[in-house]
Amino acid sequence: MAGRYGRPRSVLRMRTVAGQVFLLQVAIVVLLVAAAMAALVLQSRAAGDREALHRSVAVAESFANSPGIEQALKSPNPTKVLQPRAEAARKRSEVDFIVVMNTQGIRYTHPITNRIGKKFVGTLKPALAGGVVTEKITGTIGPLVQAVVPVFGHDGKVIGLVSAGITVNRVSGVVDDQFPLLFGAAAGILLLTTGGTALVSRRLRRQTHGLGPAEMTRMYEHHDAVLHAVREGVIIIGGDGRLLLANDEARRLLDLPPDVEGRQIADLGLDPATARLLASGRVITDEVHPVGERLLAVNQRLTDQVGGPPGSVTTLRDTTELRALTGRADVARSRLKLLYDAGTEIGTTLDVRRTCEELAEFAAARFADVVTVDLAEDVLVGEEPAPTGGSGVQMRRTAASGAPPDSGLYPVGHLIRFDPATSLGVGIASGEPVLEADLTAFSGWHLQNPQRARKIVGHGIHSMIAVPLRARGAILGVVIFWRSQEPEPFEEEELSLAEELVARAAVSIDNARRYTREHTMAVTLQRSLLPRALPDQNAVEAAYRYLPAQAGHSGLGGVGGDWFDIIPLPGARVALVVGDVVGHGLHAAATMGRLRTAVHNFANLDLPPDEILWHLDELVTRIDQDEGAGGAEASVTGATCLYAIYDPAAGTCTMARAGHVQPVVLWPDGTAEIAEVPGGPPLGLGGLPFETWQRQLPESTRLVLFTDGLVEDRNRDIDDGMALLSRTLTDRPGRTPEETCEAALGALLPERPSDDIALLVASTRVLDAAHVADWDVPPDPSAVAQIRAAAVRKLIEWGLAEEAFTAELILSELVTNSIRYAAGPIGVRLIRDTSLICEVSDRSSTSPHLRQAATTDEGGRGLFLIAQLAERWGTRYTSSGKVIWTEQALADGDLVAGAADDGDP
C-alpha cells in the first residue's frame, strides 16, 4: 500500500496500543531468552576461566621446567632452538600460544613469527621476582587468559620467562549445546504473538504511513543532528513562504528570534537582500553574501524535486574567518613566491654591479616603488669592507631603479657619507634594519641632508626601509626601499620580508665580490707571466693577440694557460713559441708560467727545436711525478707547444711541435700552406721523439702560429677552422702582421669564446748580404793573421773601425782554438745587426770552458779575455759540429738596424 508522498507503507504502525502490546510481548520473550542465555554464558564463562587459568599455568610451568631450556636461553640464537619446541608443545597442549622471552620481555618465540623480537604485552614484574602471574586480557584473538612463569637457572636466578595463553572460547562449550532448545521455545512464543497482532495489521498500516520504528528513529536522529550538531545553518521554508525549521546555527548566523517557526520570511526582521534571497526559491551553490558583519556561503535547493512537499532548504556557512585566513595565506604565498623569484633573478652573474642592478630592478618592480643600493668602495673592487668608524660610513651608490631624475635621491656613482647621528647611520653601523613609516614627520632621518630630504618628501616618497647588506659578519652596503605610489606605508611585516630579500641578495653580492677578488688576482698573475712587450730584434716583424675565454666559463673566466713568446737568439736569430695548457684558472696560469720560464731557460742553451721540446717533455714528466707523489690532484699533462727558430742570415726556419696545432705559412705570392710539421705527443706523455720541419723562407713570408681556440669551437670543427683561416689569409696577402691578426680574429673569433686564443704573426726578414761576411779557414796557424786582416777590412768597410780592435782579438783567439783543438773545416762569419756578431764553426762537438788560469800557466786565458771583451758569448751545436759566437754592442745599433731595413749597406 502506497504511503504519503509515494513512499511504501510498513506492515505495522507502532504508535497504536496493539502495536505497543505486540512490542511488549516480544520484549518479554526476548528478555526471558536473554536471561536464560546470560545465565548459561556466565556459567560457561566461569568454568572456562578456571579451566583456562589452570591449563595456561600448567603449560607454562611445564615448558619453563623442560630439559634444555636453560641452555637454549643462553645459546647464541634462542629463537632457533626454542621456536620449534614451543610450537610443538602449543599444538599438543591445545593452548593458543607459548611465548618464551628474556628478562626484558623480548619474545624469543611466538606463533606469529613477525612478533618475535618485539616486546611482550603483559605484567612481568612478579614473574621476574620468582612468582607466577595470571591475568585475563583481550588480545587480537579475543578474550584470553595468560600465565607468566619464571625460568630459573642452575644458580636459582631468573634467566627468562615463559607465557602460555588460551582463549576462553576454546574451553567453554556448555552454552552451545543448550542454544537449540532455547531458540525453539522463543520461536514458538514469537509465533503466537505474531498471530495475535495480525488482527490489527490493517489499522497499523494506516497509522504508520510506511514508516517503521527504525525509520522513525533515524528521522529523529537526523533531525536532531541537523539542528544541534552541524556547524552549518539549516532553514526549511514551505511553499507558502513560511519558515518551517531553523536550527541553532541558523538562528545565530541570522540573529533570529526564538519563536520563528510558522512565520513569514518577511516578518523575521532580516535585511531585505537576505529576505529576498531566502524567499526566492532559486537554486544557489556556494554564493557568498554579506549578512551583517559576516560573510555567509549560501546553498539552496528545492524540496519538491523528488516528490516532496513544495518549499526549499537553505544551508548557511560562516566564511568570515576563512576569508581572513585565505587572505593571509595568499599574502604568505605571494611573499614566498617573491623570495623564490628573487633567488632566480638576482645573482645571475658574478659581477658585483650587475647583481646590485638586478636587486634594484627586481625589488622596484615587486616590492617597493624606488630601490637604491649603496656599496662600500672596497667591495666594488673585490676587497673586504673596512670596519665602520665613528666618523660615519662612506658608500658609493651602485644601483638605483624607479627613481626619477628630480626625486632628490643621490644619483648612481655618487659617494655618500652616512651621518652616524641619524637613525640610518646607526642602523648601518650596527647592521640593524631601519623602518621610517612616515618620512613626512622628519623624525631625524632628514639630518643626512635636509635639503634633499625635503625634495624627496616633496616628490611624494613617504615611507622607507633601509636594510644593511651583511655577509659573513661584514657590512657590504645598504639597500633602501622607498614607497611613493602606494599610499600605505611600510609595516613591520614588510620589514622582515625586506630583510629576507636583502639577506639572499647579500649572498650573491658577496660571492660576486669574492669572485672579483680572485679573478683580479688570477688575471694579475697571468698578465705578469705573459710577455708585456715584444723584444728588440730584426729577424721578423711580429704582432700578437691574446684573448681569454669568456668570464664565467669553467674555472676563473678570463684566466687560461695559452701563451706565446718571441725569444732573440744568438746570430740574429729568433725563436717563435706558442703553447697551450689545457684548462682555466690559477693552476693553468701558474703551469703556463712554469713552462714559459722553462722554454726561456732551454732557449738560452741554444738547442734545436726538437731537443728543446724533449727537455721540456722531461721537465713536465718530472713535475707530474713530484705532484703525484705529493698527493696533488692537478697535473701539467695536457700542455702542447710549438717551437720555431728563424735565421734571417740564412733565411731558414726550423719547427717542431708537441701535440700542438699546425701553423700556417703565408708565402709572399699570396698562397697559404699548412706547415706539415711532424706531430709529437703532448708534453708529459713521453716515449716518442720529436721531429723537425725545415724550410727556406723568402723575405716577407708570414708565419701564423696560434692555439686551437682560434680554429676550433663547439660549433665548428678544427678542419673547417683551418680552411677558413687559410681563406682569410689569402684574401689580402699584403696585410701587415697587425692587420693579419685583426683579419684572422674578425673571421674566426666566436661570439662567446669557450677557450683562450693566442695568435702570433711574424713576417720574415732576410739580412742584406752586404751585412754578412764569411770565410773558410784552412787548418794552418798562419791563416789566423789573414782572417784577422780580412775581418778588419770588412769592419772598416761597415764603418765599425772602433770595434775592429776588439773584434780582431776575439777572432784571433777563437780561430786559434779551433785550429789547435778542433778538426775539419773551420768557418768564420761576421754579421752586422743591432750588434756585431762573430761566429767560428768547426766539426768538433767539444765545448770550451771558461776557467781562471794561474799566474804560472802559459795558456787558459783566451776565453777569459773573450768574456771580458764581448757583451755575450756562447756555444751552439749543429748537426755537423758546433759554433762559438760572440756579440759586441754597437753604439749606433738602432741606426744600423734601421738602415738595414731600408736596404742601405
Side-chain angles (χ1 to χ4, degrees):
M1 181 179 179
R4 189 183 301 178
Y5 312 131
R7 289 189 292 270
R9 293 183 178 273
S10 176
V11 177
L12 300 176
R13 183 172 181 180
M14 299 308 167
R15 296 178 183 175
T16 63
V17 176
Q20 294 174 359
V21 171
F22 172 71
L23 290 179
L24 179 60
Q25 293 174 349
V26 172
I28 293 173
V29 172
V30 170
L31 287 176
L32 291 175
V33 173
M37 292 178 61
L40 292 175
V41 168
L42 290 176
Q43 181 182 359
S44 175
R45 182 170 298 177
D49 288 348
R50 288 191 299 272
E51 176 63 22
L53 179 64
H54 295 323
R55 186 182 300 182
S56 61
V57 171
V59 171
E61 287 183 343
S62 298
F63 195 87
N65 295 306
S66 64
I69 186 70
E70 180 179 359
Q71 290 78 8
L73 287 174
K74 294 181 179 181
S75 66
N77 190 354
T79 299
K80 182 178 180 181
V81 179
L82 295 174
Q83 177 69 6
R85 295 171 56 184
E87 284 300 293
R90 178 182 67 82
K91 294 176 181 179
R92 290 194 300 269
S93 60
E94 296 184 355
V95 295
D96 288 285
F97 65 85
I98 296 176
V99 175
V100 183
M101 68 200 86
N102 60 15
T103 56
Q104 285 77 35
I106 303 302
R107 301 185 182 102
Y108 288 143
T109 66
H110 198 279
I112 303 175
T113 57
N114 62 4
R115 297 184 184 180
I116 296 174
K118 297 182 179 179
K119 186 75 174 180
F120 178 77
V121 179
T123 303
L124 304 179
K125 188 174 181 181
L128 292 174
V132 177
V133 181
T134 58
E135 53 185 343
K136 184 177 181 181
I137 62 172
T138 300
T140 56
I141 57 176
L144 56 87
V145 176
Q146 65 181 16
V148 181
V149 300
V151 178
F152 295 98
H154 66 279
D155 55 357
K157 294 183 179 180
V158 177
I159 60 173
L161 302 174
V162 177
S163 175
I166 185 172
T167 57
V168 178
N169 293 334
R170 182 183 288 270
V171 296
S172 60
V174 180
V175 178
D176 296 340
D177 298 334
Q178 300 182 8
F179 277 163
L181 177 61
L182 184 61
F183 286 146
I189 296 173
L190 289 176
L191 182 62
L192 293 175
T193 305
T194 304
T197 56
L199 300 176
V200 292
S201 59
R202 184 173 300 175
R203 182 180 178 184
L204 293 176
R205 292 191 189 98
R206 288 197 302 265
Q207 292 181 353
T208 57
H209 295 287
L211 295 177
E215 290 179 334
M216 295 179 64
T217 303
R218 187 162 50 252
M219 286 183 61
Y220 173 78
E221 291 174 350
H222 289 177
H223 179 273
D224 186 68
V226 170
L227 290 182
H228 304 290
V230 299
R231 296 300 299 170
E232 286 191 357
V234 179
I235 294 177
I236 300 178
I237 301 173
D240 56 355
R242 295 181 179 275
L243 181 64
L244 302 181
L245 183 144
N247 69 345
D248 297 342
E249 184 68 9
R251 295 172 186 268
R252 184 184 69 84
L253 295 177
L254 299 178
D255 295 328
L256 297 177
D259 52 345
V260 293
E261 282 79 2
R263 297 172 59 179
Q264 291 288 336
I265 294 297
D267 299 336
L268 298 180
L270 301 174
D271 61 271
T274 304
R276 286 194 302 271
L277 177 67
L278 296 177
S280 64
R282 64 185 178 90
V283 176
I284 299 173
T285 302
D286 287 335
E287 287 188 7
V288 178
H289 294 271
V291 178
E293 297 180 354
R294 298 185 177 92
L295 289 176
L296 301 183
V298 180
N299 287 272
Q300 189 165 274
R301 296 291 186 272
L302 300 178
T303 59
D304 58 355
Q305 293 180 349
V306 289
S312 63
V313 177
T314 304
T315 61
L316 308 172
R317 187 173 66 254
D318 190 354
T319 62
T320 306
E321 295 182 0
L322 181 61
R323 280 300 178 95
L325 291 175
T326 304
R328 288 195 290 271
D330 291 340
V331 171
R333 189 181 302 109
S334 64
R335 291 184 176 181
L336 288 175
K337 187 176 187 305
L338 174 70
L339 295 176
Y340 173 79
D341 293 342
T344 59
E345 298 183 25
I346 300 174
T348 59
T349 66
L350 287 174
D351 181 81
V352 174
R353 294 182 183 273
R354 181 55 194 153
T355 303
C356 293
E357 291 171 357
E358 290 173 346
L359 170 59
E361 293 168 0
F362 177 85
R366 303 281 296 273
F367 179 66
D369 300 321
V370 180
V371 179
T372 59
V373 183
D374 308 319
L375 293 183
E377 295 253 49
D378 295 336
V379 175
L380 292 173
V381 296
E383 299 297 330
E384 290 282 349
T388 58
S391 60
V393 182
Q394 281 194 346
M395 295 184 183
R396 190 170 296 278
R397 180 136 297 171
T398 309
S401 181
D406 58 344
S407 62
L409 299 173
Y410 292 108
V412 174
H414 188 83
L415 186 62
I416 308 171
R417 189 189 73 84
F418 291 96
D419 192 341
T422 64
S423 58
L424 185 56
V426 173
I428 295 175
S430 62
E432 297 297 328
V434 176
L435 169 62
E436 292 286 349
D438 186 9
L439 296 179
T440 60
F442 295 102
S443 58
W445 69 274
H446 65 288
L447 299 177
Q448 174 72 31
N449 191 319
Q451 183 178 358
R452 284 186 177 271
R454 288 191 295 270
K455 193 173 183 179
I456 290 172
V457 173
H459 194 74
I461 299 177
H462 59 81
S463 184
M464 177 266 287
I465 290 178
V467 182
L469 275 162
R470 301 183 61 180
R472 296 180 296 109
I475 304 297
L476 308 180
V478 61
V479 182
I480 306 179
F481 305 93
W482 311 85
R483 179 165 287 177
S484 59
Q485 298 179 6
E486 295 188 18
E488 296 81 6
F490 285 117
E491 299 176 351
E492 288 291 338
E493 293 184 357
E494 293 171 308
L495 179 62
S496 61
L497 177 61
E499 287 186 89
E500 181 67 24
L501 178 62
V502 172
R504 297 194 177 196
V507 175
S508 299
I509 293 175
D510 187 55
N511 288 340
R513 177 196 65 79
R514 298 171 66 184
Y515 171 81
T516 300
R517 181 184 62 185
E518 295 176 5
H519 182 262
T520 302
M521 293 171 57
V523 169
T524 303
L525 171 63
Q526 184 194 34
R527 289 177 179 174
S528 67
L529 297 175
L530 286 173
R532 300 191 179 185
L534 297 180
D536 293 333
Q537 48 82 34
N538 289 325
V540 294
E541 178 189 358
Y544 68 90
R545 294 291 186 274
Y546 179 83
L547 297 177
Q550 287 287 346
H553 193 65
S554 60
L556 285 174
V559 179
D562 291 14
W563 91 92
F564 63 91
D565 254 319
I566 297 181
I567 306 173
L569 297 177
R573 297 170 304 137
V574 67
L576 306 175
V577 188
V578 174
D580 183 4
V581 176
V582 176
H584 297 81
L586 287 175
H587 178 75
T591 301
M592 176 268 291
R594 298 168 74 178
L595 295 182
R596 181 169 176 257
T597 302
V599 169
H600 273 265
N601 292 334
F602 294 141
N604 288 334
L605 300 176
D606 210 354
L607 300 174
D610 55 336
E611 292 189 28
I612 291 229
L613 292 182
W614 183 84
H615 284 290
L616 198 60
D617 180 71
E618 287 292 314
L619 173 65
V620 172
T621 301
R622 288 196 301 271
I623 291 175
D624 283 343
Q625 291 174 352
D626 293 342
E627 291 188 351
E633 296 181 358
S635 63
V636 187
T637 302
T640 65
C641 184
L642 173 67
Y643 192 92
I645 296 178
Y646 175 68
D647 186 352
T652 58
C653 180
T654 306
M655 295 187 194
R657 66 188 180 100
H660 201 80
V661 63
Q662 294 170 324
V664 176
V665 179
L666 180 62
W667 301 101
D669 61 358
T671 60
E673 175 188 346
I674 298 176
E676 297 297 333
V677 182
L683 299 176
L685 295 183
L688 294 175
F690 298 97
E691 301 180 31
T692 58
W693 173 94
Q694 185 170 354
R695 292 286 292 273
Q696 192 79 21
L697 301 182
E699 189 169 6
S700 299
T701 301
R702 287 169 178 77
L703 296 172
V704 183
L705 285 66
F706 48 88
T707 55
D708 57 359
L710 178 67
V711 294
E712 187 177 20
D713 188 62
R714 59 171 65 100
N715 299 321
R716 180 176 61 210
D717 187 75
I718 188 170
D719 294 334
D720 298 335
M722 294 291 288
L724 178 58
L725 176 61
S726 299
R727 291 195 300 270
T728 303
L729 295 176
T730 57
D731 182 33
R732 284 180 52 195
R735 298 186 182 100
T736 64
E738 286 287 344
E739 293 171 344
T740 303
C741 288
E742 290 297 327
L745 292 178
L748 285 92
L749 183 66
E751 182 178 355
R752 291 185 63 84
S754 59
D755 195 7
D756 303 333
I757 297 175
L759 173 63
L760 179 62
V761 179
S763 178
T764 62
R765 295 170 177 167
V766 177
L767 291 180
D768 192 343
H771 293 165
V772 180
D774 52 3
W775 301 273
D776 291 330
V777 182
D780 185 358
S782 62
V784 177
Q786 300 174 9
I787 294 300
R788 288 203 308 264
V792 170
R793 286 193 300 271
K794 178 58 70 174
L795 292 177
I796 293 174
E797 179 185 342
W798 286 345
L800 302 177
E802 294 182 1
E803 286 80 7
F805 177 74
T806 303
E808 185 180 6
L809 292 177
I810 292 173
L811 280 176
S812 177
E813 180 65 30
L814 292 179
V815 173
T816 300
N817 284 342
S818 293
I819 293 174
R820 180 178 298 176
Y821 301 110
I826 300 172
V828 174
R829 185 169 69 167
L830 293 180
I831 300 174
R832 179 193 178 194
D833 195 44
T834 55
S835 60
L836 177 61
I837 302 170
C838 300
E839 295 181 347
V840 176
S841 61
D842 55 47
R843 294 295 181 89
S844 173
S845 60
T846 303
S847 176
H849 297 282
L850 180 65
R851 63 187 181 88
Q852 187 74 34
T855 55
T856 59
D857 292 341
E858 294 183 0
R861 296 176 178 83
L863 287 182
F864 179 77
L865 291 176
I866 291 175
Q868 298 300 315
L869 295 174
E871 182 180 14
R872 293 195 307 159
W873 75 278
T875 304
R876 73 173 180 270
Y877 294 93
T878 65
S879 59
S880 59
K882 70 175 183 296
V883 176
I884 303 176
W885 56 269
T886 65
E887 289 185 4
Q888 294 175 248
L890 300 178
D892 58 345
D894 293 339
L895 298 177
V896 172
D901 293 341
D902 296 335
D904 295 333

